[in-house]
Amino acid sequence: MLSAIWETEGLQTVGIVVLVFASIKLLHLLGLISFSEDSVEDELELSTVRHRPEGLEQLEAQTSFSRKELQILYRGFKNECPSGVVNEETFKDIYAQFFPQGDASTYAHFLFNAFDTDHNGSVSFEDFVMGLSILLRGTIQEKLNWAFNLYDINKDGYITKEEMLDIMKETPRQHVEVFFQKMDKNKDGVVTIDEFIDCCQNCAMQTFDHR
């Protein structure tokens, strides 16, 4: 369904499909989607990590993952990140392994910042699963809100053309400008969350109408 929504008008550049794809690949690299039948602890092991995650019940209530899934996710996360957090350089290294063409570091930087919701320079297990919950199982509205936050680099509630160009460096400038003008309905030079969502949803509806 998502791929159909973003097939037209260059809207795949909004990043949702890329984000989901990247997230799944990150999970695969970390061994988090190899759901083995090995037994897992009833509770998260907290004593060996520097960052102690929230309890399972709280994370289960805050995400779309089951207790079992959270246990498996954390086991893989802890194996790769014994400290309990991922810094930006590690995140970039993981991302670059799956997207070796070109310079992936810039996009990975912005993607890392989107996961790092408290902006402390590291992604905790909570940050990771909260983002994945939205990207993998969230509603279209939730995914669009997450994507808007990614493009809103300075977190002022608006997307500027410069911010979009910074993130979409691999996309021809003229395509970005056309896309930005399409979203900036009142032509004030910035895109609000409402304009962003309206544009994406309207284009999605047009796509289905033409099918």
Side-chain angles (χ1 to χ4, degrees), residues 19-85:
L19 292 174
V20 174
F21 184 59
S23 299
I24 292 173
K25 283 182 171 289
L26 286 171
L27 283 173
H28 175 72
L29 178 65
L30 293 174
L32 302 181
I33 55 174
S34 178
F35 284 71
S36 67
E37 295 300 322
D38 296 340
S39 61
V40 295
E41 300 87 344
D42 288 336
E43 297 294 335
L44 298 177
E45 294 181 10
L46 304 179
S47 59
T48 60
V49 298
R50 174 164 53 84
H51 173 83
R52 297 190 174 194
E54 301 289 348
L56 283 180
E57 288 187 4
Q58 183 172 344
L59 287 175
E60 188 176 1
Q62 292 174 336
T63 70
S64 298
F65 295 119
S66 69
R67 183 186 184 88
K68 176 77 170 180
E69 289 170 328
L70 286 168
Q71 289 174 319
I72 294 172
L73 286 170
Y74 183 68
R75 182 174 57 181
F77 188 91
K78 185 187 65 176
N79 287 341
E80 293 296 329
C81 312
S83 68
V85 295

Side-chain angles (χ1 to χ4, degrees), residues 51-54 59 74 77 81 83-87 112 115-118 120-131:
H51 173 83
R52 297 190 174 194
E54 301 289 348
L59 287 175
Y74 183 68
F77 188 91
C81 312
S83 68
V85 295
V86 179
N87 61 32
F112 176 85
F115 274 103
D116 180 18
T117 54
D118 52 8
N120 64 354
S122 62
V123 172
S124 66
F125 179 66
E126 294 95 328
D127 295 332
F128 196 57
V129 296
M130 292 290 285

Side-chain angles (χ1 to χ4, degrees), residues 16 32 56-57 63 76 80 105 125 133 150 153 157 169 179:
I16 292 181
L32 302 181
L56 283 180
E57 288 187 4
T63 70
E80 293 296 329
S105 63
F125 179 66
S133 178
L150 171 70
I153 295 174
K169 289 184 180 295
F179 183 45

